């Protein structure tokens, strides 16, 4: 029945149920699973594992490593207290709660780094890899489904492999992947990729057939991405970026079809990329880690000629259009391992235009992508750091306020720094665009406050900048007030209460250190 998908005859005898396969997962193991932003993730075996634990009530803890966020697996395993350690990225509410309470040891890591850690033994022994696949080739090669992520390095490092053979994904997916695994350092050769459309590897993940202990047949699509449709504010932000890129072309700094584009995961970044549909740009190329709905909208609009990514991360409607009709995109898309899609040298050499989302930014251009009020993990840095530091142009987008205006997304000093001012070229809110290139810190502060800040907060930020400038310095700050906006929100629930709240704070700041109570 599965000869077309399991082409090595001796492996067909290893087809088992998910209930049987899950018994290979033991307490204390390190498990690497396929999956990148809810796509191509292992589904049946983790679900069966939870079912077993619910029946037996036995305690279990594993280290769970992936490409990026998973769907149901992250939810189920975290809610059943199975995960001891997790990396490099997640976006699950229940897992986030346990991370922030200290129950899960979470390592927030650049996505390009995980494979190197695994290769160098820094993740310890990889006991088991669970990989979703379209097919298994004659030599045991594993053909991935809708993402590649870290699956190649997990298969290489794992002692045993479980393959989830997903028959809902058409065999036409075979040939879309480009699996290239760099050599160990210091013997590594340059990665021979000169354009997003280049193919440099194989169509399947190399795997010793003897490692494949079990094959589980599944038949279900990925969990859809919860992408929010573009709204008026994200459209305005997209327009600012389009104007900026058009000016870069006029100035001769970019070609007419721009440089390859990257857009991070999330609704705002997706909406901004979607805005290119109405632009004059054509023959665009994409070199990114996540291919969201907007990329396929741009294909349909005739704007994109080729897209290279690590995964498809799609809404339900787009998924049901694209997956069955994947033959239509053959020759137009490639899915790569994330250590290639996010490789710093390739990003820098191709001059990528990177568009990523921020939680908050500050008056000097530092960006916080991960920690709410500096302490509580949201999702993780993902690949934004890989791209921001190395891109030809690094753009960060955020709405000027959050929580119905109670939070300003532009503050005196970000409460957690993921991307320093040195790696940020352009900031965009629905209020405007600030091109920070070639500007000193004081000049950056002026343009950021002038162009990006919501009117409810503009006077307060001007006041901060002016008083900080009096104290002097290349990057003027009032250290006693740098995080006062966050403190004000913690205590009153609204940053707009700052002036009232500060009236109580400031007198105490002038007391002697021993008498300060704040």
């Amino acid at each position: 029945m599965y000869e077309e998908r399991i082409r090595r005859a001796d492996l067909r005898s290893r087809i088992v149920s998910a209930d049987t396969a899950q018994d290979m997962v033991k307490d204390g193991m390190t498990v690497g699973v396929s999956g990148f932003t809810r796509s191509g993730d292992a589904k049946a075996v983790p679900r069966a594992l939870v079912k077993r634990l619910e029946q037996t009530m036995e305690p279990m803890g594993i280290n769970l490593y992936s490409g990026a966020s998973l769907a149901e697996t992250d939810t189920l395993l975290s809610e059943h207290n199975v995960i001891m350690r997790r990396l490099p990225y997640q976006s699950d509410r229940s897992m986030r709660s346990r991370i922030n309470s200290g129950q899960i040891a979470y390592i927030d890591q650049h996505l390009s780094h995980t494979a190197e850690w695994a290769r160098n033994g820094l993740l310890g022994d990889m006991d088991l890899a669970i990989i979703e696949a379209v097919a298994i080739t004659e030599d045991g090669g594993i053909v991935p489904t809708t993402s590649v992520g870290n699956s190649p390095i997990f298969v290489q490092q794992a002692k045993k492999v479980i393959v989830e053979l997903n028959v809902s994904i058409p065999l036409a997916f075979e040939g879309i992947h480009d699996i290239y695994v760099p050599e160990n350092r210091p013997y590594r050769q340059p990665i021979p990729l000169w354009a997003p459309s280049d193919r440099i590897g194989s169509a399947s993940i190399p795997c010793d057939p003897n490692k494949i202990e079990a094959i589980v047949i599944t038949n279900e699509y990925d969990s859809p991405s919860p992408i929010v449709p573009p709204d008026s504010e994200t459209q305005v932000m997209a327009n600012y970026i389009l104007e900026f890129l058009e000016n870069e072309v006029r100035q001769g700094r970019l070609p007419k079809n721009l440089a390859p584009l990257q857009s991070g995961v999330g609704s705002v970044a997706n909406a901004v990329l979607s805005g290119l549909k109405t632009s004059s740009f054509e023959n665009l190329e994409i070199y990114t880690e996540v291919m969201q709905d907007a990329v396929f909208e741009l294909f349909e609009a005739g704007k994109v000629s080729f897209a290279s990514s690590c995964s498809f991360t799609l809404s339900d409607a787009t998924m049901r259009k694209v997956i069955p009709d994947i033959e239509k995109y053959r020759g137009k898309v490639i899915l790569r391992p994330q250590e290639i899609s996010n490789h710093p040298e390739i990003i820098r050499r191709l001059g990528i235009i990177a568009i990523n989302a921020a939680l908050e930014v500050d008056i000097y251009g530092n960006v916080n992508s991960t920690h709410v009020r500096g302490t509580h993990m949201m999702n993780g840095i993902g690949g934004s750091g890989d791209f921001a530091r190395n891109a030809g142009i690094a753009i960060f987008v955020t709405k000027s306020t959050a929580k119905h205006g109670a939070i300003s997304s532009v503050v005196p000093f970000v409460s957690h720094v993921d991307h320093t001012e040195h790696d940020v070229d352009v900031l965009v809110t629905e209020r405007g665009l600030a091109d920070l290139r070639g500007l000193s810190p004081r000049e950056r502060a002026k343009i950021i406050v002038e162009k990006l800040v919501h009117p409810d907060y503009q006077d307060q930020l001007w006041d901060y900048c002016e008083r900080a400038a009096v104290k002097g310095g290349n990057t003027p700050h009032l250290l006693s007030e740098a995080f006062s906006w966050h403190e004000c929100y913690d205590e009153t629930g609204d940053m707009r209460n700052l002036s009232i709240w500060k009236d109580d704070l400031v007198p105490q700041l002038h007391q002697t250190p021993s008498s300060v109570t704040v």
Side-chain angles (χ1 to χ4, degrees):
M1 181 178 178
Y2 298 110
E3 288 181 4
E4 196 175 17
R5 291 184 182 260
I6 306 174
R7 295 171 202 144
R8 188 179 176 94
D10 62 339
L11 290 179
R12 294 173 198 146
S13 63
R14 299 179 199 177
I15 297 176
V16 300
S17 69
D19 289 337
T20 299
Q22 62 78 31
D23 199 46
M24 292 172 58
V25 184
K26 306 295 185 184
D27 184 47
M29 274 188 167
T30 293
V31 180
V33 295
S34 65
F36 192 102
T37 54
R38 302 169 66 90
S39 66
D41 54 334
K43 302 172 177 68
V45 174
R47 193 182 298 141
L49 172 62
V50 167
K51 179 177 146 187
R52 175 188 110 198
L53 296 178
E54 288 176 338
Q55 292 170 345
T56 63
M57 301 298 289
E58 63 182 286
M60 173 176 279
I62 64 171
N63 300 320
L64 183 69
Y65 303 148
S66 68
S69 56
L70 307 172
E72 184 185 44
T73 294
D74 272 344
T75 305
L76 288 174
L77 295 186
S78 61
E79 287 180 347
H80 287 79
N81 300 313
V82 175
I83 301 173
M84 299 186 298
R85 186 175 298 273
R86 180 78 168 88
L87 65 74
Y89 183 88
Q90 57 76 45
S91 61
D92 180 72
R93 184 187 298 270
S94 59
M95 179 173 288
R96 186 183 302 136
S97 173
R98 286 164 174 79
I99 289 170
N100 288 321
S101 68
Q103 294 171 267
I104 295 175
Y106 177 60
I107 301 170
D108 184 23
Q109 186 180 48
H110 296 301
L111 295 187
S112 66
H113 287 187
T114 309
E116 299 290 17
W117 278 27
R119 190 175 284 116
N120 293 335
L122 294 172
L123 299 181
D125 291 337
M126 182 70 64
D127 298 295
L128 181 65
I130 309 174
I131 309 297
E132 186 178 80
V134 170
I136 302 174
T137 66
E138 292 82 356
D139 60 358
I142 299 170
V143 180
T145 58
T146 52
S147 72
V148 180
N150 280 318
S151 294
I153 196 68
F154 292 160
V155 169
Q156 183 186 87
Q157 298 291 316
K159 298 172 185 174
K160 297 179 180 180
V161 176
I162 297 173
V163 176
E164 289 196 3
L165 195 70
N166 191 342
V167 297
S168 76
I169 307 300
L171 274 169
F173 260 76
E174 188 169 5
I176 282 177
H177 311 89
D178 186 47
I179 310 301
Y180 180 91
V181 180
E183 299 92 344
N184 290 341
R185 296 180 292 204
Y187 310 107
R188 183 172 302 172
Q189 297 298 306
I191 298 171
L193 195 153
W194 318 117
S197 56
D198 284 349
R199 290 186 170 275
I200 60 175
S202 61
S204 62
I205 298 169
C207 181
D208 178 352
N210 294 319
K211 279 189 178 184
I212 300 177
E213 290 280 317
I215 301 171
V216 176
I217 308 300
T218 67
N219 186 5
E220 60 181 299
Y221 274 5
D222 296 325
S223 297
S225 177
I227 295 173
V228 177
D231 58 27
S232 59
E233 291 185 336
T234 54
Q235 184 58 55
V236 168
M237 293 158 72
N239 291 342
Y240 287 135
I241 293 175
L242 291 177
E243 290 172 10
F244 167 78
L245 294 175
E246 287 166 355
N247 185 62
E248 291 295 291
V249 172
R250 284 194 298 270
Q251 298 299 322
R253 292 190 285 262
L254 287 174
K256 288 183 179 179
N257 68 330
L258 306 178
L261 296 161
Q262 177 264 343
S263 174
V265 68
S267 298
V268 174
N270 181 73
V272 169
L273 195 63
S274 179
L276 286 165
K277 287 185 299 185
T278 59
S279 74
S280 60
F281 298 117
E282 295 180 348
N283 198 31
L284 298 169
E285 292 182 309
I286 307 290
Y287 191 86
T288 188
E289 59 195 351
V290 180
M291 215 180 294
Q292 299 188 102
D293 284 19
V295 174
F296 290 94
E297 292 173 15
L298 292 170
F299 271 127
E300 294 298 318
K303 296 293 186 180
V304 169
S305 60
F306 198 90
S308 168
S309 181
C310 178
S311 75
F312 294 156
T313 301
L314 307 173
S315 68
D316 186 65
T318 302
M319 190 187 309
R320 296 190 181 281
K321 281 198 311 185
V322 169
I323 301 302
D325 199 23
I326 194 62
E327 196 71 56
K328 175 181 177 181
Y329 300 97
R330 181 172 292 278
K332 295 181 180 179
V333 298
I334 283 179
L335 294 180
R336 308 183 189 278
Q338 69 195 66
E339 67 173 320
I340 303 301
S341 68
N342 290 49
H343 196 282
E345 191 275 332
I346 297 172
I347 293 167
R348 177 162 293 195
R349 180 157 42 81
L350 295 182
I352 302 296
I353 299 169
I355 306 171
N356 289 283
L359 283 179
E360 65 176 359
V361 304
D362 67 28
I363 57 175
Y364 297 114
N366 298 296
V367 172
N368 173 13
S369 295
T370 58
H371 285 73
V372 177
R373 299 196 301 284
T375 57
H376 282 57
M377 173 58 62
M378 179 58 74
N379 298 331
I381 194 170
S384 58
D386 295 322
F387 283 92
R389 173 152 289 189
N390 301 287
I393 304 175
I395 302 171
F396 282 91
V397 297
T398 181
K399 294 187 177 183
S400 65
T401 63
K403 296 289 184 183
H404 306 291
I407 294 176
S408 174
S409 300
V410 187
V411 292
F413 200 176
V414 289
S415 53
H416 177 90
V417 181
D418 289 298
H419 314 285
T420 74
E421 59 187 278
H422 312 290
D423 301 330
V424 179
D425 296 316
V426 177
L427 293 174
V428 187
T429 71
E430 81 285 358
R431 311 297 304 180
L433 180 147
D435 183 354
L436 308 180
R437 297 172 299 174
L439 301 182
S440 70
R442 292 182 188 229
E443 290 168 332
R444 288 198 297 268
K446 185 174 184 288
I447 193 173
I448 286 171
V449 178
E450 180 181 308
K451 294 198 170 184
L452 304 183
V453 179
H454 192 278
D456 287 353
Y457 295 98
Q458 212 163 27
D459 288 344
Q460 293 280 9
L461 266 181
W462 280 129
D463 175 66
Y464 179 88
C465 290
E466 290 166 3
R467 290 187 294 113
V470 172
K471 294 196 71 171
N474 184 55
T475 307
H477 265 305
L478 301 171
L479 296 182
S480 60
E481 295 184 40
F483 298 119
S484 62
W485 293 43
H486 303 89
E487 292 180 66
C488 176
Y489 181 82
D490 280 343
E491 294 187 20
T492 73
D494 196 324
M495 288 184 180
R496 288 171 293 197
N497 295 329
L498 185 66
S499 59
I500 301 171
W501 179 82
K502 197 162 61 174
D503 286 342
D504 296 328
L505 171 71
V506 172
Q508 296 186 61
L509 295 177
H510 296 290
Q511 299 175 30
T512 59
S514 61
S515 65
V516 173
T517 58
V518 175

